[in-house]
Amino acid sequence: MSHHPASVTAAPMTALVLQGGGALGAYQAGAYEALAQRTDLEWVAGISIGAINAALIAGSPAGRRVERLRAFWEQVSLALPVRPSHEAIAPVRGWWDNAMALWGATVGVPGFFRPRPWLAWVPRPPASLYDTAPLHKTLLELVDFDLLNDGPMRFSVGAVDVESGNFTYFDNRCERIGPEHVMASGALPPGFGAVQIGERWYWDGGLVSNTPLAYVMEHLRDPTARPVTVFQIDLFSARGTLPETLADAAEREKDIRYSSRTRLVSDHVRERHHLHQRLHRLAAMLPKAQQGDAAVRELLKDTVDAATTLVHVIHRRQSYETQTKDYEFSHLSMSEHWQAGTTDMQASLELLAQSRAPQPGEFRVLDHRSDPSAARAVPARRNKEKQSCT
C-alpha cells in the first residue's frame, strides 16, 4: 500500500500567501516583482493589505502586475514637495517617520482613505475614523475584476463577520469577487468601518488571523503527484529583542500580535504530514485482506499529501522603525520596503534553487535568514514523579 504520491518531478503548483501590515505592504509588492521573474502563480491569498496586493496581482494581466502594484504604491505614498533621501535625514529618521505617520493620520492617504468630516461626528461619533471610498475607486481603476474572477489564478481573502465573530474567506472558486470583498478584508477598526457584503458586515481578517496560510494549506491537500511550493510573505516578525522603552514595547506587541503564529501553523502542517505517513505505514503492516477494509479506507481518507515546500520571506524591521511603521506612508519608506522585499525574495529564490528536491510527502520550511534562537524548549522529564506540566 503506497502512502506517497508517486513522483515529485512535475512542475510544482505555486501559491503566494500575503500577511496584513498596512504601509509595510510595499515589501510584498517588491517581493512579488522578484518572484514574477522566476515563476508563475496559480493561487494568491491575502489578509488586509495583503488582500489588496493579491487583488492587484490576480486582477491584472501577467505582464502588467508589477506595473499595477507600482501604480498603487506610488498613489498611496504621501505627496510631499520634497522627497529626502535616507542619508539626508538619517540622524532624525525615527522622528521623520513618526511625523509622516501623524501627517497621514491627520489628512488621510491619497487613493486609500480620508478623515471623516466634522459633521459626521454630530449628533454622535461615527463607527470609524476614516472613509475608504477612495480605496473603492482605486480598486476599480487598477483591478480588472472580470479577470480576477474568470482568469486562471485562484484568489482568496479573509475577513471577520462583525456580528458573529466568525472568520471567513471569500474565494473566487466559490463566489463572485468585487471590490467590497477586498475592502472587507482590510477594514481594520476603529480606523476603517465595516464593509457590507450581502446582509452581513465584515472587518479586517487580521483581527482573528493575520495570515491565510492555514486556509491555503488546508485546501492544498491534493492527492496527485504534483508538488506544492508556497511563498509566505510576512510583514511582522514574531521574533525580536526585549523592549527598553514604552515605544519599543508598543512596536514589539504589534509584531507579536500580527505575526499570527506563522511558525505554529507551519509546525502544525508538518506534524499533520508526519501523522498521515505514519498512518499509511501502520496500514501497510495489516494483512492484505484487511488493508481494503472499509474502516481502513475511511481512516486513510484525505491523508495523501503532496510534497510541500514553504518558503518563508519575512520583513525584518530597521533600527529606526517605530510602532508607526504600518501606517507611515511616506514615499521614502515605501521605496525602502519595496527594495527590501525584492532583495529578500531574490535570496529566498536562490536558497530554493540550491536546495534538494523535496521527498514524496515531505513538508519543509525554507528561510534564507532563519533565526536559530528558539522559543522555550520543553524540559526533559527528569524523574517519574514529574510526568507532566500544567
Side-chain angles (χ1 to χ4, degrees):
M1 177 178 294
S2 174
H3 61 275
H4 293 309
S7 171
V8 293
T9 58
M13 183 275 186
T14 305
L16 179 64
V17 175
L18 304 175
Q19 199 181 69
L24 297 173
Y27 178 89
Q28 295 172 340
Y32 176 75
E33 182 176 35
L35 180 63
Q37 298 173 8
R38 300 282 192 95
T39 189
D40 292 327
L41 288 179
E42 296 182 48
W43 190 357
V44 60
I47 300 287
S48 198
I49 197 65
I52 295 175
N53 283 330
L56 291 163
I57 293 169
S60 299
R64 301 193 64 188
R65 291 171 185 162
V66 174
E67 173 191 331
R68 296 278 179 83
L69 286 165
R70 178 71 71 179
F72 173 80
W73 284 101
E74 288 286 348
Q75 183 170 349
V76 302
S77 296
L78 295 176
L80 298 174
V82 178
R83 290 181 174 178
S85 65
H86 173 74
E87 292 75 15
I89 61 171
V92 293
R93 181 59 189 274
W95 174 88
W96 170 271
D97 285 358
N98 288 340
M100 291 298 97
L102 178 60
W103 175 257
T106 302
V107 305
V109 172
F112 202 157
F113 60 87
R114 61 194 175 207
R116 296 195 180 279
W118 288 109
L119 288 177
W121 295 75
V122 179
R124 62 177 183 175
S128 64
L129 297 171
Y130 301 101
D131 176 12
T132 54
L135 176 59
H136 187 273
K137 180 181 178 182
T138 299
L139 289 172
L140 289 177
E141 290 174 350
L142 296 179
V143 177
D144 181 342
F145 282 94
D146 287 334
L147 175 60
L148 185 151
N149 284 289
D150 301 326
M153 187 179 296
R154 186 170 182 176
F155 170 86
S156 312
V157 294
V160 178
D161 187 305
V162 176
E163 294 171 292
S164 71
N166 291 333
F167 194 34
T168 189
Y169 277 91
F170 305 118
D171 193 313
N172 68 349
R173 294 295 183 265
C174 306
E175 60 197 300
R176 197 79 183 172
I177 301 295
E180 65 276 11
H181 297 87
V182 181
M183 295 174 66
S185 182
L188 183 64
F192 303 154
V195 175
Q196 186 175 15
I197 299 175
E199 297 182 355
R200 310 300 298 177
W201 292 84
Y202 294 91
W203 269 338
D204 193 306
L207 294 175
V208 172
S209 176
N210 200 36
T211 175
L213 179 61
Y215 178 82
V216 170
M217 296 309 304
E218 181 64 26
H219 289 77
L220 279 178
R221 296 171 63 180
D222 185 353
T224 67
R226 195 177 181 201
V228 171
T229 301
V230 178
F231 291 90
Q232 159 89 6
I233 306 181
D234 286 355
L235 300 179
F236 296 95
S237 175
R239 294 182 177 163
T241 58
L242 185 67
E244 297 180 358
T245 67
L246 284 174
D248 292 343
E251 182 187 15
R252 187 74 197 106
E253 182 273 337
K254 184 178 290 186
D255 284 346
I256 293 172
R257 173 158 41 105
Y258 287 126
S259 63
S260 288
R261 305 174 302 281
T262 302
R263 301 290 190 188
L264 180 63
V265 174
S266 60
D267 287 346
H268 171 74
V269 175
R270 181 190 292 110
E271 291 168 3
R272 186 183 68 191
H273 274 235
H274 290 169
L275 174 61
H276 291 171
Q277 292 174 28
R278 290 195 295 270
L279 287 173
H280 280 274
R281 287 196 294 268
L282 180 62
M285 297 171 64
L286 295 173
K288 291 291 185 181
Q290 295 181 11
Q291 290 182 9
D293 187 85
V296 175
R297 293 199 304 270
E298 179 64 24
L299 180 66
L300 299 181
K301 183 180 178 181
D302 297 328
T303 61
V304 179
D305 300 305
T308 303
T309 300
L310 174 63
V311 183
H312 208 178
V313 186
I314 310 172
H315 169 265
R316 266 81 172 188
R317 69 178 297 275
Q318 298 296 320
S319 60
Y320 51 79
E321 289 185 316
T322 71
Q323 75 274 18
T324 65
K325 61 190 178 183
D326 57 328
Y327 59 96
E328 193 273 286
F329 283 88
S330 73
H331 189 273
L332 174 60
S333 292
M334 183 278 288
S335 300
E336 290 177 343
H337 292 145
W338 186 295
Q339 183 56 55
T342 300
T343 300
D344 285 348
M345 179 57 79
Q346 289 171 340
S348 299
L349 289 167
E350 290 301 319
L351 175 62
L352 179 62
Q354 295 167 9
S355 301
R356 60 167 176 79
Q359 300 299 309
E362 179 184 8
F363 179 86
R364 62 177 183 170
V365 179
L366 302 180
D367 184 346
H368 84 279
R369 289 199 294 182
S370 182
D371 186 353
S373 62
R376 177 179 179 268
V378 177
R381 295 178 180 176
R382 287 173 290 184
N383 55 59
K384 293 183 179 180
E385 286 74 28
K386 296 181 180 180
Q387 292 293 320
S388 63
C389 297
T390 58

